[in-house]
Amino acid sequence: AYNIMAISYEGSISHRMIAMVAEGFRPVVCLKSEIGLEKQEDGTYHIVDTVRTGKITFGEPTWEGDNASVTVGTNTNFQIEYQINGVDEGIWTKIANNGTITGLKDRDTVYARLTDGTNHGEYTSINIIKGMTGAEVAENPNEYYGKTITNYTCPNSAGVSAWQIFHADENNIYLIANDYVHRNYIPKGKEGSSIRYNSDYTLAMDDVVDDYDGSSDITEEKIKELNNDYFNVKKYTSTYTNMLAVAYMLDTNVWSVFKGEQAEYAIGGPTIELLFESYNNRYGTEYVAEATSKTGYQIKKKSSDSWSNSISGMLNTTDGLYVIPSKSKASEYWLASPSAGDYTYYVSGVFYDGRVAFGTYSYDHASGFRPLVCLKSSTRITQEDNGDGYIIK
């Protein structure tokens, strides 16, 4: 144990020298000038750093055009001082607690520290990164669609080797698993029924559909909007078995195993409407999907064409964002939309050869899942410094 032997005080709380004596050899320790003492309930004292123990907090940067501002505050009575893109002595600027630093540019770094007027603590910093909003990504689909997001994580991250930017609109950015997901990472239905499997990646929804009643299970407006023509325009309802499979794929609760902190929700795959919105945006096509009956959707390449349940070669097989051309794991991935092809087993799907068609969810088919994630509307993305991918900021 150490005993306080003497205190030399020279006018400022951070100008202290505290000597302590130990039993035994009784060495004398002179603590740093910024050190203070804090009395405890049991009458002993704890050493505290009167400058460096204070917390500095930056707010979230806000943008007006190319200029940003950020607030900075502290939970102490010490003075905050800051500097932009440097930590040189002599050019620190003082700012009031919870004051706003303005005139910042993309990629600036703001440094801040606490001072008592003589001594100062270590600095902390914030990187000012503008990033791209969903609306900005949507305006440049050839630049961003298909790019990998390298820092998205979720409870079942181990089941997805990479997440790609699938689509964006004025509010959100959507990610899709770059490949079929192994059966070990596919969630059970809301009542606990499991997915059947033919192999590790070719799966079936024969059992899991028993956990659902149909369209009545799909209650969230933001999820209904993904099949907008079916639910909101035509206002269809259904208890057909293909709708039970769709209800499972749109169950945000069970698919939350793919929902990370940056996500608004996750589902079992894109809908037919979202697929065509993305593809049309990227390639300038005019593909149309419409719920022609309560059974489900039909499709066509342009408005003057006749409706069809299946169109061959519809998607570019060299674009891995939309088509997985290899059949080594599965031959198609399901879309979270019912197909008008049949009310029993048929949901929409994307095949290895670029065909968009109905696919049965039953055990005798070779289909798999590519989960879809909708990022929060506040999300921005920016390119990694090494250029290898994009990160969520």
Side-chain angles (χ1 to χ4, degrees):
Y2 285 90
N3 299 314
I4 300 173
M5 186 176 83
I7 296 178
S8 173
Y9 181 67
E10 300 179 4
S12 171
I13 194 171
S14 59
H15 281 74
R16 294 181 177 179
M17 292 195 308
I18 301 170
M20 293 185 170
V21 178
E23 297 174 4
F25 288 103
R26 301 176 67 80
V28 175
V29 177
C30 179
L31 300 178
K32 294 180 179 179
S33 62
E34 60 265 30
I35 292 300
L37 295 179
E38 184 178 84
K39 190 173 183 178
Q40 306 300 299
E41 291 182 359
D42 62 2
T44 61
Y45 288 80
H46 283 185
I47 293 172
V48 296
D49 185 331
T50 59
V51 174
R52 297 191 185 113
T53 54
K55 181 180 180 182
I56 297 175
T57 304
F58 289 103
E60 186 69 22
T62 58
W63 290 87
E64 287 190 16
D66 293 328
N67 296 306
S69 61
V70 67
T71 60
V72 59
T74 179
N75 61 350
T76 74
N77 292 323
F78 292 106
Q79 174 71 59
I80 304 172
E81 52 187 16
Y82 74 92
Q83 199 173 142
I84 301 171
N85 296 330
V87 291
D88 298 328
E89 291 300 329
I91 57 174
W92 290 89
T93 301
K94 291 180 171 56
I95 187 172
N97 193 9
N98 297 315
T100 301
I101 303 169
T102 61
L104 301 172
K105 303 294 184 182
D106 188 29
R107 304 285 174 170
D108 277 349
T109 301
V110 179
Y111 299 89
R113 68 186 187 184
L114 298 176
T115 180
D116 64 0
T118 303
N119 299 285
H120 60 78
E122 299 295 327
Y123 60 77
T124 187
S125 64
I126 183 173
N127 294 318
I128 307 300
I129 300 175
K130 184 177 184 181
M132 307 298 292
T133 64
E136 291 168 320
V137 171
E139 290 175 359
N140 299 277
N142 291 326
E143 175 70 23
Y144 298 109
Y145 285 19
K147 294 297 191 296
T148 299
I149 297 293
T150 60
N151 67 335
Y152 179 76
T153 60
C154 61
N156 275 10
S157 285
V160 179
S161 59
W163 292 95
Q164 295 176 281
I165 299 173
F166 182 76
H167 182 57
D169 55 33
E170 61 182 9
N171 295 314
N172 302 94
I173 299 170
Y174 301 83
L175 310 181
I176 192 171
N178 72 323
D179 203 350
Y180 299 108
V181 173
H182 191 283
R183 61 183 175 86
N184 288 348
Y185 299 96
I186 300 301
K188 296 179 179 181
K190 67 177 183 176
E191 302 298 335
S193 296
S194 298
I195 286 289
R196 288 191 188 185
Y197 59 93
N198 293 314
S199 71
D200 286 341
Y201 297 94
T202 56
L203 311 174
M205 292 184 272
D206 299 72
D207 295 333
V208 78
V209 295
D210 293 336
D211 290 358
Y212 297 88
D213 298 318
S215 58
S216 61
D217 290 301
I218 305 165
T219 58
E220 297 177 86
E221 288 304 319
K222 63 188 176 185
I223 302 302
K224 287 183 176 181
E225 288 174 3
L226 299 175
N227 284 311
N228 187 61
D229 190 62
Y230 190 97
F231 290 113
N232 298 324
V233 177
K234 305 295 175 53
K235 300 187 183 302
Y236 289 137
T237 60
S238 172
T239 57
Y240 292 154
T241 51
N242 65 346
M243 180 54 70
L244 307 186
V246 170
Y248 165 67
M249 290 189 68
L250 294 178
D251 187 340
T252 56
N253 290 323
V254 301
W255 290 96
S256 63
V257 293
F258 293 101
K259 177 187 175 183
E261 290 184 1
Q262 306 103 325
E264 186 172 330
Y265 61 81
I267 55 176
T271 63
I272 186 70
E273 290 190 33
L274 199 65
L275 170 69
F276 282 178
E277 286 176 18
S278 174
Y279 200 85
N280 289 344
N281 196 18
R282 186 170 191 179
Y283 286 102
T285 49
E286 299 178 353
Y287 295 169
V288 181
E290 185 176 310
T292 55
S293 70
K294 66 183 295 183
T295 302
Y297 281 84
Q298 290 187 300
I299 57 176
K300 52 186 175 182
K301 285 190 171 183
K302 55 182 183 294
S303 57
S304 59
D305 291 347
S306 299
W307 290 113
S308 177
N309 295 322
S310 173
I311 298 179
S312 298
M314 202 169 193
L315 306 180
N316 183 356
T317 57
T318 65
D319 190 340
L321 177 63
Y322 302 105
V323 179
I324 298 177
S326 171
K327 295 192 292 181
S328 61
K329 293 180 178 178
S331 63
E332 67 156 316
Y333 63 91
W334 285 301
L335 300 174
S337 301
S339 171
D342 185 87
Y343 67 86
T344 53
Y345 296 106
Y346 288 166
V347 293
S348 301
V350 174
F351 289 75
Y352 70 95
D353 55 3
R355 176 170 32 117
V356 179
F358 52 83
T360 175
Y361 66 71
S362 65
Y363 184 73
D364 59 356
H365 214 57
S367 304
F369 290 97
R370 293 180 69 189
L372 182 99
V373 170
C374 175
L375 298 180
K376 294 177 180 177
S377 59
S378 59
T379 299
R380 291 173 177 263
I381 63 168
T382 187
Q383 191 168 23
E384 290 186 292
D385 291 338
N386 59 16
D388 287 344
Y390 285 77
I391 59 173
I392 300 168
K393 66 175 295 290

Short mmCIF file of all heavy atoms in Angstrom, two decimals, residues 131-133 136-149 164-166 168 282 321 381-383 390:
data_model
loop_
_atom_site.label_atom_id
_atom_site.label_comp_id
_atom_site.label_asym_id
_atom_site.label_seq_id
_atom_site.Cartn_x
_atom_site.Cartn_y
_atom_site.Cartn_z
N GLY A 131 -19.59 9.51 -48.58
CA GLY A 131 -20.24 8.29 -49.01
C GLY A 131 -21.40 8.56 -49.96
O GLY A 131 -21.75 9.70 -50.25
N MET A 132 -21.98 7.47 -50.43
CA MET A 132 -23.07 7.55 -51.39
C MET A 132 -24.37 7.08 -50.74
O MET A 132 -24.41 6.06 -50.08
CB MET A 132 -22.77 6.68 -52.62
CG MET A 132 -21.42 6.97 -53.27
SD MET A 132 -21.30 8.66 -53.91
CE MET A 132 -22.47 8.58 -55.25
N THR A 133 -25.43 7.84 -50.96
CA THR A 133 -26.75 7.45 -50.47
C THR A 133 -27.39 6.46 -51.45
O THR A 133 -26.87 6.24 -52.55
CB THR A 133 -27.65 8.68 -50.35
OG1 THR A 133 -27.86 9.24 -51.66
CG2 THR A 133 -27.03 9.72 -49.43
N GLU A 136 -28.07 8.17 -54.72
CA GLU A 136 -26.88 8.37 -55.54
C GLU A 136 -26.41 7.06 -56.17
O GLU A 136 -25.92 7.04 -57.30
CB GLU A 136 -25.78 9.01 -54.70
CG GLU A 136 -26.09 10.45 -54.30
CD GLU A 136 -25.18 10.99 -53.24
OE1 GLU A 136 -24.84 10.25 -52.29
OE2 GLU A 136 -24.80 12.17 -53.34
N VAL A 137 -26.55 5.96 -55.45
CA VAL A 137 -26.21 4.65 -56.01
C VAL A 137 -27.16 4.32 -57.17
O VAL A 137 -26.74 3.84 -58.22
CB VAL A 137 -26.27 3.56 -54.93
CG1 VAL A 137 -26.12 2.17 -55.55
CG2 VAL A 137 -25.18 3.79 -53.89
N ALA A 138 -28.45 4.61 -56.97
CA ALA A 138 -29.45 4.31 -58.01
C ALA A 138 -29.19 5.12 -59.28
O ALA A 138 -29.50 4.66 -60.38
CB ALA A 138 -30.85 4.61 -57.48
N GLU A 139 -28.62 6.30 -59.15
CA GLU A 139 -28.33 7.13 -60.32
C GLU A 139 -27.13 6.62 -61.10
O GLU A 139 -26.93 7.02 -62.26
CB GLU A 139 -28.07 8.57 -59.87
CG GLU A 139 -29.32 9.30 -59.37
CD GLU A 139 -28.98 10.67 -58.82
OE1 GLU A 139 -27.78 11.04 -58.83
OE2 GLU A 139 -29.92 11.38 -58.40
N ASN A 140 -26.34 5.76 -60.49
CA ASN A 140 -25.14 5.24 -61.14
C ASN A 140 -25.06 3.72 -61.01
O ASN A 140 -24.11 3.19 -60.43
CB ASN A 140 -23.89 5.88 -60.53
CG ASN A 140 -23.86 7.38 -60.68
OD1 ASN A 140 -23.46 7.90 -61.72
ND2 ASN A 140 -24.28 8.09 -59.65
N PRO A 141 -26.05 3.01 -61.57
CA PRO A 141 -26.09 1.55 -61.37
C PRO A 141 -24.89 0.82 -61.96
O PRO A 141 -24.43 -0.17 -61.39
CB PRO A 141 -27.39 1.14 -62.07
CG PRO A 141 -27.65 2.23 -63.07
CD PRO A 141 -27.17 3.48 -62.40
N ASN A 142 -24.36 1.29 -63.08
CA ASN A 142 -23.22 0.61 -63.68
C ASN A 142 -21.96 0.77 -62.85
O ASN A 142 -21.02 -0.01 -62.96
CB ASN A 142 -22.98 1.12 -65.10
CG ASN A 142 -24.08 0.69 -66.06
OD1 ASN A 142 -24.63 -0.40 -65.91
ND2 ASN A 142 -24.41 1.54 -67.01
N GLU A 143 -21.95 1.80 -62.03
CA GLU A 143 -20.80 2.04 -61.15
C GLU A 143 -20.88 1.19 -59.89
O GLU A 143 -19.85 0.71 -59.39
CB GLU A 143 -20.74 3.53 -60.76
CG GLU A 143 -19.67 3.89 -59.75
CD GLU A 143 -18.26 3.80 -60.30
OE1 GLU A 143 -18.10 3.89 -61.55
OE2 GLU A 143 -17.33 3.63 -59.50
N TYR A 144 -22.09 0.98 -59.37
CA TYR A 144 -22.21 0.39 -58.04
C TYR A 144 -22.86 -0.99 -58.01
O TYR A 144 -22.51 -1.81 -57.14
CB TYR A 144 -23.01 1.33 -57.14
CG TYR A 144 -22.34 2.66 -56.94
CD1 TYR A 144 -22.85 3.81 -57.54
CD2 TYR A 144 -21.17 2.77 -56.19
CE1 TYR A 144 -22.21 5.04 -57.38
CE2 TYR A 144 -20.53 3.98 -56.02
CZ TYR A 144 -21.06 5.12 -56.61
OH TYR A 144 -20.44 6.32 -56.46
N TYR A 145 -23.81 -1.28 -58.89
CA TYR A 145 -24.49 -2.58 -58.83
C TYR A 145 -23.47 -3.70 -59.03
O TYR A 145 -22.64 -3.67 -59.93
CB TYR A 145 -25.57 -2.67 -59.88
CG TYR A 145 -26.84 -1.90 -59.56
CD1 TYR A 145 -26.85 -0.88 -58.62
CD2 TYR A 145 -28.04 -2.18 -60.21
CE1 TYR A 145 -28.00 -0.16 -58.34
CE2 TYR A 145 -29.21 -1.47 -59.94
CZ TYR A 145 -29.18 -0.46 -59.01
OH TYR A 145 -30.32 0.25 -58.73
N GLY A 146 -23.56 -4.70 -58.19
CA GLY A 146 -22.64 -5.83 -58.29
C GLY A 146 -21.39 -5.68 -57.46
O GLY A 146 -20.65 -6.66 -57.26
N LYS A 147 -21.14 -4.48 -56.95
CA LYS A 147 -19.94 -4.27 -56.13
C LYS A 147 -20.11 -4.95 -54.77
O LYS A 147 -21.22 -5.08 -54.25
CB LYS A 147 -19.67 -2.78 -55.94
CG LYS A 147 -19.30 -2.06 -57.23
CD LYS A 147 -18.01 -2.60 -57.81
CE LYS A 147 -17.48 -1.72 -58.94
NZ LYS A 147 -18.37 -1.65 -60.10
N THR A 148 -19.01 -5.37 -54.20
CA THR A 148 -19.01 -6.09 -52.93
C THR A 148 -18.94 -5.12 -51.75
O THR A 148 -18.15 -4.18 -51.77
CB THR A 148 -17.81 -7.06 -52.86
OG1 THR A 148 -17.92 -8.02 -53.93
CG2 THR A 148 -17.78 -7.79 -51.53
N ILE A 149 -19.79 -5.36 -50.77
CA ILE A 149 -19.72 -4.63 -49.51
C ILE A 149 -18.92 -5.50 -48.54
O ILE A 149 -19.34 -6.61 -48.20
CB ILE A 149 -21.12 -4.35 -48.93
CG1 ILE A 149 -21.92 -3.46 -49.88
CG2 ILE A 149 -21.02 -3.72 -47.55
CD1 ILE A 149 -21.38 -2.04 -50.02
N GLN A 164 -23.30 -8.45 -52.27
CA GLN A 164 -23.21 -7.54 -53.42
C GLN A 164 -24.35 -6.52 -53.40
O GLN A 164 -25.45 -6.82 -52.92
CB GLN A 164 -23.29 -8.33 -54.73
CG GLN A 164 -22.13 -9.28 -54.98
CD GLN A 164 -22.36 -10.09 -56.25
OE1 GLN A 164 -23.11 -11.05 -56.24
NE2 GLN A 164 -21.74 -9.68 -57.33
N ILE A 165 -24.07 -5.34 -53.94
CA ILE A 165 -25.12 -4.34 -54.10
C ILE A 165 -26.04 -4.81 -55.22
O ILE A 165 -25.63 -4.95 -56.37
CB ILE A 165 -24.53 -2.96 -54.44
CG1 ILE A 165 -23.61 -2.49 -53.32
CG2 ILE A 165 -25.66 -1.95 -54.66
CD1 ILE A 165 -22.86 -1.21 -53.64
N PHE A 166 -27.29 -5.08 -54.86
CA PHE A 166 -28.25 -5.62 -55.81
C PHE A 166 -29.12 -4.52 -56.43
O PHE A 166 -29.45 -4.56 -57.62
CB PHE A 166 -29.15 -6.63 -55.10
CG PHE A 166 -30.17 -7.30 -55.99
CD1 PHE A 166 -29.78 -8.30 -56.87
CD2 PHE A 166 -31.50 -6.92 -55.96
CE1 PHE A 166 -30.70 -8.91 -57.70
CE2 PHE A 166 -32.44 -7.53 -56.78
CZ PHE A 166 -32.03 -8.53 -57.66
N ALA A 168 -30.83 -0.20 -55.59
CA ALA A 168 -30.95 0.98 -54.72
C ALA A 168 -32.10 1.82 -55.22
O ALA A 168 -32.43 1.82 -56.41
CB ALA A 168 -29.65 1.78 -54.72
N ARG A 282 -30.08 -1.13 -64.54
CA ARG A 282 -28.70 -1.36 -64.94
C ARG A 282 -28.55 -1.49 -66.46
O ARG A 282 -27.58 -0.99 -67.04
CB ARG A 282 -28.16 -2.61 -64.26
CG ARG A 282 -26.68 -2.84 -64.52
CD ARG A 282 -26.11 -3.92 -63.66
NE ARG A 282 -24.66 -3.94 -63.73
CZ ARG A 282 -23.87 -4.76 -63.07
NH1 ARG A 282 -24.41 -5.66 -62.26
NH2 ARG A 282 -22.57 -4.70 -63.17
N LEU A 321 -24.33 -11.01 -60.70
CA LEU A 321 -25.24 -10.39 -59.75
C LEU A 321 -26.63 -10.99 -59.89
O LEU A 321 -27.33 -11.18 -58.90
CB LEU A 321 -25.30 -8.88 -60.00
CG LEU A 321 -26.27 -8.08 -59.13
CD1 LEU A 321 -25.88 -8.17 -57.65
CD2 LEU A 321 -26.33 -6.62 -59.58
N ILE A 381 -22.45 4.46 -48.39
CA ILE A 381 -21.33 3.57 -48.69
C ILE A 381 -20.21 4.38 -49.31
O ILE A 381 -20.44 5.43 -49.93
CB ILE A 381 -21.75 2.43 -49.64
CG1 ILE A 381 -22.20 2.97 -51.00
CG2 ILE A 381 -22.83 1.56 -49.00
CD1 ILE A 381 -22.34 1.91 -52.07
N THR A 382 -19.00 3.89 -49.13
CA THR A 382 -17.85 4.54 -49.73
C THR A 382 -16.84 3.49 -50.14
O THR A 382 -16.80 2.40 -49.56
CB THR A 382 -17.21 5.54 -48.75
OG1 THR A 382 -16.19 6.30 -49.43
CG2 THR A 382 -16.59 4.83 -47.56
N GLN A 383 -16.03 3.81 -51.12
CA GLN A 383 -15.05 2.84 -51.62
C GLN A 383 -13.91 2.69 -50.63
O GLN A 383 -13.48 3.65 -49.98
CB GLN A 383 -14.50 3.26 -52.98
CG GLN A 383 -13.69 2.18 -53.68
CD GLN A 383 -13.41 2.52 -55.13
OE1 GLN A 383 -13.44 3.67 -55.53
NE2 GLN A 383 -13.15 1.50 -55.95
N TYR A 390 -16.44 -1.88 -51.33
CA TYR A 390 -17.09 -0.75 -50.69
C TYR A 390 -17.41 -1.10 -49.25
O TYR A 390 -17.58 -2.28 -48.90
CB TYR A 390 -18.37 -0.37 -51.44
CG TYR A 390 -18.09 0.36 -52.74
CD1 TYR A 390 -17.65 -0.34 -53.86
CD2 TYR A 390 -18.22 1.73 -52.83
CE1 TYR A 390 -17.37 0.32 -55.04
CE2 TYR A 390 -17.95 2.40 -54.01
CZ TYR A 390 -17.52 1.69 -55.12
OH TYR A 390 -17.24 2.35 -56.28
#
